[in-house]
Amino acid sequence: MYRDVSSCNTYNYGDAAYWDARYVQETGPFDWYQRYSALRPFVHKYIPTSSRVLMVGCGNAVMSEDMVKDGYVDITNIDISSVAIDMMRKKYEYLPQLKYMQMDVRDMSFFPDESFDGVIDKGTLDSLMCGTSAPISSTQMLGEVSRLLKPGGVYMLITYGDPSVRIPHLNRMLYNWEITLYIMPRPGFQKPAGCSSSSKSYLEPVPLTEQGLLPASFVLEDKDSHYIYVCKKIDGMN
């Protein structure tokens, strides 16, 4: 349970002031890690279009818009940056399926328990893991996510963190999550010339060892791959 020092710079990504300043300067839309088109098979498999969805750390990404175009009917988007939220409210005021609220993921007490069928996170936990209070912040956020999920609901985490640094945070008895892992290369990744093509499908889950690690024989095609953790809240448990 520690800070991801190796993948962070000097910015405090858990600080609202940092994000406010960034969104003032960068007004164009930006999707972290993967676009919806790549994530669609996973989202559709685990989160039905009728679901009430929470998008944490939405920023100015277009993923929620793309999901609405694809049939999703109820997406609440939150971000710590009031600048981003004000911008997105104005942009999507014509879409009743999208709601935007300024909120810190470490305290989502505005929402009652078991409010959502699905929670989607592209890079928000990663941002907190780069903060100065990473262990506390991540525990606060994940505890809130677990509280807000209905039994059978899914927390979908898209992250750069491999199982050695993410499973210790996710695999806690308190959350009672059943975890399935997928691995995708970053957008635009091309295998080096001469490498044999793999029959492995990115849509197939990756088996983990009893310790929650990748098998020693597993070959990571792209060292900068993105990891998709599907954390399902087991029915009937808190």
Side-chain angles (χ1 to χ4, degrees), residues 182-211:
Y182 299 88
I183 300 179
M184 292 184 67
R186 65 189 186 277
F189 171 75
Q190 294 184 345
K191 297 178 183 179
C195 287
S196 59
S197 59
S198 171
S199 59
K200 179 173 55 180
S201 169
Y202 304 130
L203 302 180
E204 293 294 323
V206 177
L208 295 172
T209 67
E210 291 185 3
Q211 293 74 36

Side-chain angles (χ1 to χ4, degrees), residues 47-143:
I47 305 177
T49 54
S50 60
S51 300
R52 188 180 184 205
V53 179
L54 177 65
M55 185 76 67
V56 295
C58 63
N60 60 4
V62 299
M63 179 160 170
S64 294
E65 175 190 351
D66 291 340
M67 289 177 64
V68 168
K69 291 178 180 177
D70 201 26
Y72 286 85
V73 296
D74 188 350
I75 305 176
T76 299
N77 302 269
I78 67 169
D79 199 280
I80 198 172
S81 169
S82 59
V83 173
I85 291 300
D86 289 345
M87 181 190 314
M88 299 300 273
R89 274 184 185 148
K90 293 175 183 176
K91 181 178 180 181
Y92 292 118
E93 60 185 356
Y94 69 97
L95 281 180
Q97 301 95 326
L98 296 180
K99 294 177 284 290
Y100 286 87
M101 303 178 65
Q102 192 276 331
M103 191 177 295
D104 189 328
V105 293
R106 292 166 287 195
D107 179 7
M108 296 185 283
S109 54
F110 175 85
F111 300 119
D113 295 358
E114 300 181 2
S115 292
F116 295 95
D117 303 288
V119 178
I120 299 177
D121 171 5
K122 285 203 304 172
T124 299
L125 180 63
D126 287 8
S127 295
L128 292 182
M129 292 302 298
C130 287
T132 54
S133 302
I136 296 174
S137 292
S138 62
T139 298
Q140 290 172 330
M141 173 187 167
L142 294 174

Side-chain angles (χ1 to χ4, degrees), residues 154-194:
V154 164
Y155 169 49
M156 185 171 294
L157 169 65
I158 298 93
T159 170
Y160 62 72
D162 67 43
S164 69
V165 295
R166 287 294 175 267
I167 289 294
H169 293 277
L170 299 172
N171 195 24
R172 298 184 63 194
M173 291 184 64
L174 177 66
Y175 308 145
N176 206 48
W177 287 340
E178 181 181 79
I179 302 172
T180 304
L181 173 65
Y182 299 88
I183 300 179
M184 292 184 67
R186 65 189 186 277
F189 171 75
Q190 294 184 345
K191 297 178 183 179

